[in-house]
Amino acid sequence: RPPRSTLCPYTTLFRSDFRKEFNLGSGLMLLCVANYCDRKNQLLAVRAFRQAQLKDATLVLIGSEFNDYSEQVRRLDAELQKEFPAGRVVLLEKLTRAQTCAAYQAADLFVLPAKAETQPIVLLEAMASHTPWLSTDTGCVSELPGGIVARSEDDLVKKMRELASSPTLRQELAAEGWAACQQTYDWDQVVAAYDRLVKKVCGNS
């Protein structure tokens, strides 16, 4: 794993600690971090995960707190599990920032199933944590390195299987995302870019 990131920094919790704390085992871990709501679309993540039928895999959903939507997600997973029993879905709430950062670092793949986004911070945090991502085609996601875009539910299932079965591809994408965080999305770089822009606009370049 890379050194400290300016987006989701290392804490006293590491990969093995997060998995142990929530009894997640050592198998493939997919992660989705978002408030439980229709726009974030965790229902899609569960449908795709169940249909992908990934053996010894866990989909971890982290939201700020449980609500009516999270109950819909639970009910859907229970229903789909009858037909697609492989894997496990775990819903979590009210985690600390340290726990959430540890989750990013523990994950093998970050999943963003959102219906609408602009520039998702969660993907930048996945990239900063050296974790590859899989996302719906929303906002500027298709312009970001470090992951793959799915353009339909069937495509999401297909690419989830592809990434799950290829550690090499996940490592390559993780490296691309991490490099972009150092070169483009690092706060020092962002501040410097704003400084240049302001000077240019004010005629001080």
Side-chain angles (χ1 to χ4, degrees), residues 37-171:
C37 66
D38 181 68
R39 184 171 70 86
K40 298 300 184 180
N41 205 13
Q42 286 94 341
L43 290 172
L44 173 60
V46 169
R47 289 198 306 269
F49 177 76
R50 282 298 174 196
Q51 292 176 72
Q53 283 292 271
L54 307 178
K55 295 182 180 180
D56 192 27
T58 302
L59 172 63
V60 177
L61 306 175
I62 298 176
S64 58
E65 61 182 5
F66 294 145
N67 53 27
D68 290 343
Y69 186 86
S70 66
E71 286 306 309
Q72 292 181 46
V73 174
R74 288 185 192 277
R75 290 195 297 270
L76 175 67
D77 180 56
E79 186 64 29
L80 290 177
Q81 193 174 9
K82 299 173 184 177
E83 183 178 359
F84 305 106
R88 181 166 62 127
V89 175
V90 175
L91 281 72
L92 301 174
E93 66 164 349
K94 299 177 181 177
L95 268 60
T96 65
R97 175 64 172 163
Q99 288 172 316
T100 302
C101 286
Y104 278 104
Q105 295 151 19
D108 298 293
L109 178 65
F110 188 89
V111 180
L112 178 67
K115 294 180 178 180
E117 293 283 353
T118 304
Q119 181 172 352
I121 297 297
V122 290
L123 290 192
L124 298 182
E125 297 216 301
M127 292 157 58
S129 300
H130 214 253
T131 301
W133 53 263
L134 172 62
S135 175
T136 50
D137 189 11
T138 180
C140 71
V141 167
S142 62
E143 301 173 12
L144 295 175
I148 295 178
V149 172
R151 291 179 168 80
S152 68
E153 184 168 329
D154 288 343
D155 195 31
L156 187 64
V157 175
K158 176 183 176 181
K159 288 175 176 173
M160 190 176 287
R161 287 174 178 157
E162 178 185 357
L163 285 162
S165 65
S166 179
T168 299
L169 177 57
R170 295 199 306 270
Q171 290 169 5

